Amino acid sequence: MTDFYKVVSRLALLLLLVAPGYALRAQCVISNLQPSYCSDDAAVTLTGGDNVYGPGIAGGTFSPSIAGVGTHTIYSSSYSVSTAGTFGPDPTVGTATSFGANEDSAPIPLGFNFDFFGQTYSTLVVNANGYVTFGPDAGTGTSQSLPSASTPNNLIAGAWDDLNVTLGGTIHTAMVGIAPNRRFLITFDNVRYASGPQTVTFQIQLYETSQVIEIHSTDIQDNGGSGATQGIENPTGMGGYADPSRNATAWTATSDYVSFAPSCTNVYPVTVSAPPSNSLGITAPATVCPSTGAPVTIFGTQLGVEYQLQVVSTSAVLSSFYAGTGGDLNIVSNNLPASTNIKVYARHSVTGCDTDLSATVTVNLSPLPSNSLGVTAPATICPSSGAPVTIAGTQVGVLYQLQEASTSAVLSSFYAGTGGNLTITSNTLPGATNIKVYARNSTTGCDANLSTTVNVDPSLVPPSIIGQPSSAIVCQNGTTSFTVNAGVTTGGTFQWQVSTNGGVTYGNLSDDATYNGSATASLSVSTTPLSFNGYRYRVIVSGGCTP
């Protein structure tokens, strides 16, 4: 059977024995205490609950930071106080109690388990000053008004005051009855006050099954001092029950009966978890390129913790969550639109406890190379040659490269900007090509594509001769002509030349009385003198490409 059902069963039986028809009272129900907290969560003002105690409980609030990391048990217990019973101390004498220097007895076995404010005990300590405690006791003869956080706590007081059993009287304990209806008796018989001849005689009875506490006061005398206390108090001193007229006040009682019956007890396990460590170091480059992410390194990340980059001032998200590895973790932020102060948010993946790392980094943006420079190139070039591309007003400290516009295929090496115009000749172009200029800062690596592209077509037809001139025989002072066929040479030009020494040297011709068409495809020679016999003629064909 689980502990929960044991508690419920015990309560059901207890209610039947003590108060038939009595329902679980609301004062034991805490409506807003959660099963788990982070140690840095704010204190919670509890709603409901009576005599609430446990780690972190103070003044009706639960403080996770005071409770500390770990699993704790919070108790809410309520007792019914009654004077309607019958006065009847048990005559059993039992065993005399011996006391130490602080007037405490050694722990005395009860013989059965006894529940007191939700916790179970098998021993108690008798203090000669008129009370018993469950657990450690500071031992004091100065009565307190219950409840009181001052020690001692976790006690049952029959007539708590400054008593002195060595001046007179006896104190005995005994266990009587048969299980499950045994009782444990603590009997103070004519125990004297320390400051006068007055005495107290009373008996505390603890009931095994019902967990009821009865105090039978045969004769409680008043010594005229600060007053005695009769009542019960929980383990922290934050809750308890006492008749106001018997709570560290002057009072007397004869053949008197009072009982404290537990009406409900709720137990709340509460786990407090620590947030992730906020002292991890982080680093990032001082500058990054615009519209790029910043690589942030977090040192010594924790397993089970997730990390995320955020803006310091707004907590705007700059990355997804990344799981800690137990070592260093690198996270690249989203693209940064401007210089940014970056923090790291850490969240435990199971408990949800979170924190911001104390260290932050500032990442500035480096300027991009200008992308508005002018770019020019010839529309057509000769086949199997490169295109001369001129970039106007290049920047010092920036490298420039020609690339194919759509694929970024490299068309040249990098060339350093000069502060003026720069001409770069591309690699040989296989066909018409749209060329862009890629610019990269030589220090920061920040880059850009110039906005202007040029289309270059290697479609110029080189000079060619598909029909050679023919030699001629003419009569003295006759006329002849020579014609060359240059085909479809792009932008073809012609220059006829003559050699008068058998082809050893040639000189350019120009039109005169003898020659006509010296710069065309056909050269005419008229009034040919006999001295021209054996002259040699040739033509140089030029165009948009090499002659």
Side-chain angles (χ1 to χ4, degrees):
M1 184 183 295
T2 66
D3 291 342
F4 172 79
Y5 286 107
K6 289 179 182 177
V7 170
V8 172
S9 300
R10 184 182 299 129
L11 285 173
L13 179 60
L14 181 153
L15 295 173
L16 179 64
L17 293 173
V18 176
Y22 190 87
L24 186 64
R25 299 198 296 182
Q27 63 261 39
C28 284
V29 177
I30 305 173
S31 61
N32 65 331
L33 185 64
Q34 302 302 314
S36 61
Y37 291 91
C38 300
S39 60
D40 57 355
D41 285 345
V44 180
T45 299
L46 301 179
T47 302
D50 187 19
N51 285 299
V52 179
Y53 69 96
I57 299 293
T61 65
F62 172 69
S63 175
S65 62
I66 295 175
V69 174
T71 298
H72 310 290
T73 302
I74 306 301
Y75 297 88
S76 178
S77 299
S78 181
Y79 281 79
S80 297
V81 183
S82 175
T83 59
T86 302
F87 170 73
D90 190 290
T92 304
V93 174
T95 303
T97 305
S98 59
F99 299 95
N102 65 348
E103 299 184 278
D104 274 339
S105 71
I108 300 173
L110 297 173
F112 54 83
N113 288 334
F114 187 77
D115 287 354
F116 186 64
F117 283 100
Q119 297 194 54
T120 302
Y121 303 94
S122 60
T123 63
L124 56 72
V125 172
V126 177
N127 187 280
N129 289 300
Y131 64 90
V132 298
T133 63
F134 297 94
D137 174 31
T140 177
T142 303
S143 63
Q144 298 172 4
S145 178
L146 303 181
S148 170
S150 300
T151 56
N153 303 123
N154 207 21
L155 60 82
I156 302 169
W160 178 11
D161 206 342
D162 189 8
L163 307 178
N164 191 335
V165 71
T166 62
L167 297 178
T170 60
I171 302 173
H172 292 80
T173 60
M175 193 268 286
V176 298
I178 300 173
N181 298 309
R182 291 171 288 186
R183 290 174 297 145
F184 191 81
L185 313 176
I186 306 99
T187 304
F188 280 65
D189 188 11
N190 287 313
V191 177
R192 278 191 54 176
Y193 284 93
S195 59
Q198 294 85 4
T199 61
V200 298
T201 299
F202 65 88
Q203 184 179 80
I204 298 173
Q205 299 184 9
L206 308 182
Y207 282 74
E208 177 182 12
T209 298
S210 66
Q211 315 296 306
V212 168
I213 302 164
E214 292 182 351
I215 301 177
H216 298 263
S217 301
T218 302
D219 183 23
I220 307 294
Q221 299 175 9
D222 175 25
N223 76 333
S226 59
T229 296
Q230 186 175 77
I232 62 175
E233 184 182 65
N234 71 17
T236 62
M238 302 303 294
Y241 298 87
D243 185 328
S245 64
R246 299 180 180 182
N247 203 7
T249 59
W251 56 280
T252 61
T254 303
S255 301
D256 181 82
Y257 167 91
V258 62
S259 69
F260 302 87
S263 54
C264 63
T265 296
N266 284 354
V267 179
Y268 299 89
V270 175
T271 299
V272 177
S273 301
S277 171
N278 69 346
S279 61
L280 307 184
I282 65 173
T283 187
T287 59
V288 297
C289 301
S291 299
T292 61
V296 178
T297 299
I298 310 163
F299 299 110
T301 56
Q302 296 174 276
L303 293 173
V305 176
E306 301 170 316
Y307 298 87
Q308 182 185 68
L309 306 183
Q310 296 182 354
V311 177
V312 169
S313 58
T314 65
S315 297
V317 171
L318 290 176
S319 76
S320 301
F321 279 102
Y322 292 84
T325 61
D328 299 345
L329 176 66
N330 188 70
I331 302 176
V332 177
S333 74
N334 301 338
N335 290 350
L336 300 180
S339 295
T340 305
N341 294 328
I342 300 175
K343 69 180 181 181
V344 177
Y345 169 71
R347 181 182 70 189
H348 196 283
S349 57
V350 176
T351 67
C353 295
D354 57 1
T355 188
D356 290 332
L357 301 193
S358 1
T360 62
V361 290
T362 299
V363 178
N364 297 303
L365 299 188
S366 296
L368 290 174
S370 173
N371 72 340
S372 60
L373 307 183
V375 180
T376 57
T380 54
I381 60 173
C382 298
S384 301
S385 64
V389 178
T390 298
I391 309 157
T394 57
Q395 297 173 276
V396 174
V398 176
L399 302 175
Y400 297 89
Q401 183 184 65
L402 305 184
Q403 297 181 354
E404 200 283 323
S406 61
T407 65
S408 299
V410 171
L411 295 177
S412 78
S413 300
F414 278 104
Y415 292 85
T418 62
N421 296 346
L422 175 66
T423 298
I424 303 175
T425 300
S426 73
N427 302 336
T428 299
L429 300 181
T433 305
N434 193 23
I435 299 175
K436 70 178 180 181
V437 178
Y438 169 73
R440 184 180 70 196
N441 188 294
S442 58
T443 301
T444 67
C446 296
D447 57 2
N449 291 316
L450 272 59
S451 55
T452 301
T453 62
V454 289
N455 192 277
V456 180
D457 187 358
S459 60
L460 296 181
V461 178
S464 64
I465 296 175
I466 62 174
Q468 293 285 350
S470 298
S471 298
I473 298 175
V474 297
C475 296
Q476 185 177 357
N477 296 321
T479 299
T480 190
S481 64
F482 304 105
T483 300
V484 66
N485 184 353
V488 293
T489 297
T490 301
T493 62
F494 304 89
Q495 177 62 59
W496 287 92
Q497 294 181 333
V498 64
S499 174
T500 61
N501 54 12
V504 176
T505 59
Y506 283 86
N508 290 341
L509 293 176
S510 57
D511 289 354
D512 55 19
T514 304
Y515 298 106
N516 184 50
S518 61
T520 67
S522 295
L523 174 69
S524 295
V525 184
S526 58
T527 61
T528 309
L530 184 61
S531 61
F532 280 22
N533 183 47
Y535 278 17
R536 294 173 179 261
Y537 294 88
R538 71 178 184 185
V539 64
I540 297 175
V541 180
S542 301
C545 299
T546 302

